[in-house]
Amino acid sequence: MPIILDHQLREQIPHDGTVFPISYFHDELATLPNWAGPLHWHHDFEIATAVSGVLDFQVGRQHIILEVGDSIFVNRNMLHGIKQLSGDVPDPMPNIVFSGAVIAPETSAIYKKYIHPIACCDTLPFIVFKHKNGWHNEVNCSVKNIYCQMYEQSQCYEMAVQRELSGIFEYIFSNFEDLPKFETTRIQINAQIRIQKMLSYIYEHYAEAVTLEDIADSANISRSEAGRCFNTYMGCSPIDALIQYRLQIAHSMLNDVTLTLREISYSCGFNSVNYFSRQFKQTYGYTPSQTRTLGK
């Protein structure tokens, strides 16, 4: 299913937190243009695995390359995105998004002792479990078992998933001192807050006439500082990021054949169908009309 974000870029996770606060996803990349997902964040932990292609998993400002068989643990509230770098078909990239409450209630001694310290560790934004590292085999096996249990949902699957997640957090806690840490400065924290605010503004106002000044004002910074933030996190300008998001929305709207190209372009903030079509082809390599006729 597609990534759904609210106006604060928090991914809307459809699990019922009062029942079993974990959700399983697969084949999300196939629904995304160029097999790339937008930067977003959520309050839950996430674990994802590369199955058939090489993936570029961005967490904060860092780009982590996942080879086939590698898994990544992303800590809570971290801005992250994904892009497939190789492969002839979209990687199924199975992943789970879950609350630590799957393992134990937040008021419990287990949560406070073993989960809370990991969730609140600013120097541990992510952990990579490499398929070539023998020490990581146990975790990668647990991750695969969780995917299987969440997909099949056979009898007592919840208990099996809880057991596997407990083992993963036990591994993280037991090896905490040896895990790679990434020191985060106050400047970096402020920069991430700013990019979150500006991206939130773009996601909420993309259909309107948005200027560079509007985007910068949403984070109370100058236009030049806004440009530096976007270049650092996304390798593009704020306006380029706005156009790319408009194109992503337009790409999904093309599935509705009752809408004309003019209606789609104007509803996504483009004031010219020709300009929309040129930008679309430049980004995706085919025109909006071809998207419909070829089922791209």
Side-chain angles (χ1 to χ4, degrees):
M1 66 181 293
I3 295 174
I4 303 173
L5 309 177
D6 68 8
H7 68 282
Q8 292 181 303
L9 273 88
R10 286 184 295 202
E11 186 176 359
Q12 299 302 286
I13 308 301
H15 58 237
D16 187 343
T18 62
V19 179
F20 194 49
I22 180 171
S23 295
Y24 169 67
F25 305 96
H26 59 89
D27 296 320
E28 288 183 295
L29 290 178
T31 68
L32 297 169
N34 290 343
W35 305 341
L39 287 173
H40 62 284
W41 65 283
H42 42 69
H43 188 61
D44 294 327
F45 301 105
E46 181 169 346
I47 297 177
T49 303
V51 173
S52 61
V54 176
L55 305 180
D56 176 1
F57 217 101
Q58 181 178 352
V59 182
R61 298 192 305 173
Q62 300 185 67
H63 289 263
I64 303 98
I65 302 301
L66 297 185
E67 298 178 348
V68 175
D70 293 345
S71 297
I72 186 170
F73 168 92
V74 181
N75 214 335
R76 301 189 318 171
N77 300 318
M78 291 302 306
L79 193 65
H80 60 283
I82 181 69
K83 181 177 182 179
Q84 185 167 335
L85 300 181
S86 72
D88 297 328
V89 296
D91 193 302
M93 195 190 74
N95 63 97
I96 51 172
V97 181
F98 60 96
S99 165
V102 171
I103 300 172
E106 294 186 3
T107 56
S108 68
I110 289 177
Y111 189 98
K112 292 177 181 178
K113 183 176 181 180
Y114 299 108
I115 301 174
H116 181 75
I118 295 171
C120 296
C121 183
D122 292 335
T123 59
L124 193 67
F126 64 89
I127 307 169
V128 178
F129 299 107
K130 305 291 282 186
H131 73 285
K132 295 180 180 179
N133 188 323
W135 292 99
H136 295 168
N137 285 343
E138 183 178 347
V139 172
N140 282 324
C141 286
S142 292
V143 170
K144 291 179 182 179
N145 288 338
I146 291 172
Y147 295 153
C148 183
Q149 292 290 341
M150 291 297 298
Y151 177 77
E152 296 178 353
Q153 294 195 7
S154 56
Q155 188 176 20
C156 301
Y157 81 94
E158 299 96 336
M159 297 179 71
V161 169
Q162 182 191 52
R163 185 167 56 249
E164 298 288 6
L165 280 176
S166 294
I168 292 173
F169 271 81
E170 180 180 352
Y171 175 91
I172 296 173
F173 185 85
S174 300
N175 295 278
F176 187 82
E177 297 301 326
D178 297 324
L179 293 173
K181 304 297 192 303
F182 303 90
E183 295 297 331
T184 305
T185 66
R186 175 53 57 181
I187 293 176
Q188 291 173 332
I189 293 174
N190 288 338
Q192 177 160 318
I193 292 173
R194 288 169 176 173
I195 195 72
Q196 285 178 316
K197 288 181 178 179
M198 291 187 288
L199 284 173
S200 296
Y201 184 86
I202 287 174
Y203 277 57
E204 188 173 3
H205 299 278
Y206 69 90
E208 305 168 13
V210 177
T211 67
L212 173 57
E213 187 171 4
D214 293 330
I215 297 172
D217 286 347
S218 68
N220 296 313
I221 57 177
S222 67
R223 290 177 294 179
S224 59
E225 180 60 25
R228 283 192 289 270
C229 285
F230 272 86
N231 186 60
T232 297
Y233 278 88
M234 304 182 69
C236 67
S237 71
I239 296 302
D240 285 340
L242 169 65
I243 292 172
Q244 290 306 307
Y245 184 68
R246 285 172 169 170
L247 291 173
Q248 287 179 351
I249 297 297
H251 193 286
S252 64
M253 293 180 68
L254 287 168
N255 293 323
D256 186 348
V257 294
T258 65
L259 297 174
T260 67
L261 293 184
R262 179 175 296 275
E263 288 173 327
I264 291 174
S265 63
Y266 276 73
S267 65
C268 292
F270 294 103
N271 294 324
S272 164
V273 177
N274 289 334
Y275 177 72
F276 161 61
S277 296
R278 288 198 304 272
Q279 290 291 325
F280 193 97
K281 184 175 182 179
Q282 181 178 331
T283 298
Y284 301 124
Y286 45 85
T287 67
S289 298
Q290 289 175 316
T291 303
R292 285 177 163 173
T293 58
L294 302 178
K296 289 181 177 291

